[in-house]
Structure formats: structure tokens, C-alpha cells
Amino acid sequence: MNNPPKFFYDLIQETAKKFPNKVSFKKRDTEGNFVGKTYSQIFEEINQITAGLINLKVSVGDKIAFLCDASPNWILVDISIVASGAVSVPRGTDVTDEDIIYILSHSESKFAIVQKEKDRKRLMKLKRKFPKLKEIFVIESENFQLATGKNSLTDLMKKGESALKKDPKIIQNRKTKINPKNLATLIYTSGTTGAPKGVMLNQMNWIDAVHKVLNRIEVTENDRIVSLLPPWHALERAIEYAVISTGADFLVSDSAKIKDDLREFKPTMFPSVPRIWESVYNGIMSKIKKEKPAKQKIFNFALKISEIFAKEKAFLLGYDPAIEEPNPILSTIRKILAGIHLIFLFPLRILANKIFSPIHGAVGGNLRISVSGGSALPSVVDRFLTSIGIKVLEGYGLTETAAVISVRNAFKPTSGTLGDPLIGYQIQIKDDKGHDVSSTPGKRGVLWVKSDQILMGYYKRPELNKAVFDKDRFFDTGDIMTLNYKGELIFAGRAKDTIALAGGENVEPGPIEDKLLVSEFIDQVMVTGDDKKTLGALIVPNFERVKIELQLKEVTEKWNENKQVRELFKKEITRLISKDTGFKTFELIPGNCFYIVPRNFDPDTEMTRT
């Protein structure tokens, strides 16, 4: 991919030529088989849908609302919308009625393509709220087969097939009217307050981002990739474009089947969000807790040896997490010592690998890279995965940057960092006074970025565009970062998340939250305390682990008043957040300043961290 194409359509066209008979974009069917389509079939169906849209009198620049969750058919519709010259306005089907009304009205969508019949009926009930909507098409039935009948995707494809027979050049003629730098997709991002913001991205934004990541990670047609992320999210969208670009084997999974899919599909790559990796970590540690004391000691010994081995290897190969450049002489001595340590530790490492083999077997046994993005990966989970031999490439980006700004180097993945920015990015780290401190390793500030792959702007929000872009077109990410001497980014918190206590102290909640997530009893946590004397915490328990530990039977809604439960979490907080573990007095969470949340946080309205 030295000279990447300019259009999404070209990506699938080239891959269909290279690998016409290769089956990809698979899904487990009701009988347990992985069923997909060949790349030539995918390309043919995209042609039919695209021609169908053009035949429908879709004009260049028209907005098409696209409500769909994880599905092997998502990519067909997305590429077809853009290939027709229209603008894809994607969202999940779990979106609220309020957001649907806002998005379809604000975007002035003329058409809608929805996943299932129930989604069409839902839009029809709300249709009077967005009178510009002309037609609604249904993609698939309950078993992911293409829907049939009037206003179905199959119906649209049949019309497209007829249009292609009448005019074989209908798509190419439309392509000449499309500028790849013009608006291609409008992604509405949700926050905890205010109306959703429409992020404007073009085809070149995405292709530029995907091309640079593929060069760094080295994904090929031989890779087997499994994912369960929502396709309208920026990270998953970039993944699917990367699959289309390389001809890789791709499986669309879901939370109910992911364990079986990992074991049986045997992926070489598993891109996901920290939430999934936290669940993997908590599940393993909970299982170890149930083993006999002797087995626990063996596992913990193997883990400790592996942590040391990974640390020494990083020193020897030059990807240790040092902030400032070490003295050359001392660094050479340290590398020699690291090499000696590795020689002595190697036999124990081999033994540890055998102990960890069931874990590798659970993810298929062929996993060469795990990609984590979407939010900050807790350091304890990062170290654990690295120690057991799963290479973690943590990346960083926003919807506004076509999913990616930086990602760790596959050959030198520095733990605790987000890797160095992709080629073509200019960065500034601005301190409280607006000065760029990026030339000084370890200095904190808000990250501002400039690149060809960042958003064109927010749709119909000129006042917001003025606020997030400076005079040189650098974009304010809102994230607090530092750089190490190698130029790798280190996440330090969200600028908007900084807690200002009543006493005037400023607290970054990220490190405290990461430390609390070490607990086997805590699944999610949010530290609070703006304008208060002390910090507090909202805690989502690891429900199953707590039930087993305390032998509870009562409903989780009552846990916050349960003395046993509160005492358990009080001890955990005191154990993990103290002066002995490196926290300052004002960073402690005193007494009973916490609330037990009876459900997981909502990822759209309650979790806004990067």
C-alpha cells in the first residue's frame, strides 16, 4: 500500500481483484459455522447497492441516515452510500429517540437505511419529526440474511442490477463527480451534556489514517481478525476499512459468542477496547483465586518472573518506559545487566509460558497482536498482558482524527505509552499558559494536533469550530499528555476531567481510577469531587466475584446499603489508595465516600474518556 487509493470504492475493487475467491466478513450462524462472502461477492453487492442508490435519485452530498449494529453487512452499505456520492450518517440502533430526532433533523437526511424491520417501524413512528426523510430501507432479517420484499436492501440491489444492465458505467460516471476530499461521513458523537456533535470526515481522512497504521502494524491478507465493536464507532470503522484494504479474514463477533469465537476462529489479531481486556484480566484472576493455594503460588511466581523478564527485555531492546533520556554509559551498563538477567531467567520463562498456555489457548493460540484503543488501558492490565506473552499495541485517537493519532510500534511496544504519532502529524503540548512544551520530556499539557486526517470541522457548528482550532489549524484534543524522550505519547488525563477540590488542589482522576481497577472486585470506577473537600468514587462491582466472596443473594440495587458490601469496598479503597502506594493526602478517598452503582456505566452518556 505504498500509494493508497483515494476512494473507499477503490479499496474493495482492488482487493476483489487480488483475492476474488477469499471468504471474509464472517459471522457464526445458528448451526455454529462461520459463514461469510467472497471478496468478489462483496464487491458485486456493493455495485448493486450503489447503482440502486444512484437510480433512486440520490444526489452527491445527500445525507443518508444509517442505523446498524455489528453486522457483516455493515461494510456493504457504508461503502455503497459513499460510492453513490452521498454522506453516510451512521449510528447504532440503541440510540435514543431524542438523538434520532436530532441527528436526522440536523443532518437533513433524505433517506435512511436501518438494520432490521423493527428499526424501520421505530423511524416510521418518529417520521413526522423529520419530514425531509423520503424512504427507509431494511438491511437484514434476524439471522443476518439480507432482507427481502419492498423497501429492503435486496429490493434496492435488484433495482441497482437493472440500472447496471442499462448503463454499465453508471458508477464510474458518478465517481467523476465525487471529490474524495469532500464530506463523506457525518458521525454524531455523544457527550454527557449538550446536543450530539456532527464530526465531518472525508474519504482521504480515513484512507490516510488506515494506510499509515497498516505500515506500522504490518497487517496482511494472511491475518485473521475478530472484532465485536460497534461499526459506527471510529475504531471499528477504521478496522473494517483496514480489512477491506488488505484482504484479511474477518469475523464479526458479539459479547455472547466472543469466547467461543476466539477459541475456534484462532485470530492473529484482536482489536478491542480496554473494557474487554479488563474483563479478560478480571476473569483470569478470579479463576486463579478459586484454585488451591499451591496452584495460586505457582501462577503468581510465573507471573512475577514473566513481569521481570518483560521489563529486562524492554531495557535490552530499548523500549523501556523511561521519560528522560538516560546517560549513555549507564544505559550501556544497564543493557548488559539486562542481558545477563535474561539469560538466567530464560529457563523459568519457558516454564512460565507453559503455565500460561491455557490462556493463549482460550484466545485461539495464534494471537500475535492485541490492539487496544478507545480509552486508556489500565496499567495493571497492560503489564499483565505483556507478561503472559500477549503483545499489546495501545493506540490513541478520537473520532475527530479518523480513530488514530498514535499507536505503539509492533517491534518495540513501550508499555505505559500510546506510541509515537503517525507520520504526517504535527503536535503541540500546551501548558496552562498556552506555551508549547512538547520539546521537554515529561512536561504536561493539553495535546493539540494537525494533520491531513483530522476532521473538516463540526457540522453546522461554526462557534465550536472556532473554539477547537487555533489560528494555525491545530486541533484541541482535550487530552492531557506528556512525551518521553523518544517522542511517545503518555496519557495523563482529560482536561475536562481534572477535579478541582474546594481547597484549591487539582486532581487527575485517571491514575486513581487505574489503581482501583487493580481490585478483583471492581469492574468500573469513576472518581468525583469537584468543589468538594475530598474525593469520592462511583464503583461498579465485579458482580459475580462479589457474590461469590460474600455469598450474596440480594439484588444489586440494594448493595449500596449492604454493610458487608460497603466494608469490602472500604477495605479495597484503603488498601489501594494510600500514601504507601504513592498517593498524596488530597488524592485519598476517605471513609465511606463512595457509592455502589447497581449497573454498568452507559458507554454513550456516562463514559466520555478519550
Side-chain angles (χ1 to χ4, degrees), residues 30-264:
T30 53
E31 296 179 359
N33 301 312
F34 296 129
V35 179
K37 297 175 182 178
T38 65
Y39 275 110
S40 60
Q41 185 180 358
I42 291 171
F43 182 53
E44 181 182 5
E45 291 183 355
I46 286 174
N47 278 327
Q48 292 170 351
I49 299 168
T50 303
L53 290 171
I54 297 170
N55 183 69
L56 193 66
K57 306 302 180 185
V58 169
S59 300
V60 174
D62 280 350
K63 314 300 187 302
I64 299 181
F66 179 22
L67 304 183
C68 186
D69 299 321
S71 167
N73 297 315
W74 189 92
I75 197 72
L76 303 176
V77 176
D78 182 67
I79 291 181
S80 298
I81 291 173
V82 178
S84 74
V87 177
S88 177
V89 187
R91 190 71 180 188
T93 64
D94 60 349
V95 65
T96 65
D97 286 355
E98 182 181 10
D99 278 356
I100 285 180
I101 293 168
Y102 179 84
I103 291 169
L104 269 71
S105 300
H106 189 260
S107 67
E108 301 179 71
S109 292
K110 293 184 178 179
F111 302 92
I113 301 178
V114 299
Q115 188 165 10
K116 297 177 181 177
E117 176 62 22
K118 63 180 178 63
D119 305 312
R120 186 192 69 81
K121 290 179 179 178
R122 185 184 180 196
L123 282 193
M124 288 302 295
K125 288 180 181 179
L126 300 171
K127 193 174 183 299
R128 61 185 179 84
K129 300 286 187 177
F130 29 84
K132 291 192 176 183
L133 189 67
K134 296 179 181 178
E135 289 190 65
I136 305 171
F137 294 89
V138 178
I139 301 171
E140 59 193 32
S141 58
E142 293 300 319
N143 60 357
F144 296 96
Q145 296 298 311
L146 294 182
T148 57
K150 186 178 179 181
N151 288 110
S152 67
L153 195 64
T154 301
D155 183 31
L156 186 64
M157 290 166 67
K158 286 180 179 178
K159 292 176 180 176
E161 190 175 12
S162 297
L164 282 166
K165 287 179 180 177
K166 292 179 181 178
D167 182 6
K169 293 184 179 181
I170 187 172
I171 296 174
Q172 291 302 319
N173 289 337
R174 175 55 61 92
K175 189 178 175 183
T176 61
K177 300 177 182 179
I178 302 170
N179 185 336
K181 291 186 178 182
N182 284 350
L183 181 62
T185 186
L186 197 52
I187 307 174
Y188 284 85
T189 62
S190 292
T192 53
T193 59
K197 297 176 293 185
V199 177
M200 302 167 65
L201 292 166
N202 59 47
Q203 294 183 72
M204 290 301 293
N205 293 145
W206 288 105
I207 293 172
D208 187 54
V210 169
H211 172 63
K212 289 171 182 175
V213 171
L214 290 177
N215 283 341
R216 182 170 293 190
I217 297 181
E218 296 190 351
V219 183
T220 72
E221 70 274 12
N222 298 317
D223 277 304
R224 297 167 63 83
I225 304 170
V226 62
S227 183
L228 73 165
L229 302 176
W232 63 273
H233 275 233
L235 176 58
E236 175 66 14
R237 199 166 184 179
I239 291 165
E240 297 201 15
Y241 293 152
V243 170
I244 284 290
S245 300
T246 59
D249 193 356
F250 183 64
L251 175 69
V252 176
S253 186
D254 58 56
S255 56
K257 299 172 184 173
I258 187 62
K259 288 184 179 180
D260 291 338
D261 286 350
L262 286 170
R263 186 175 61 253
E264 296 174 26

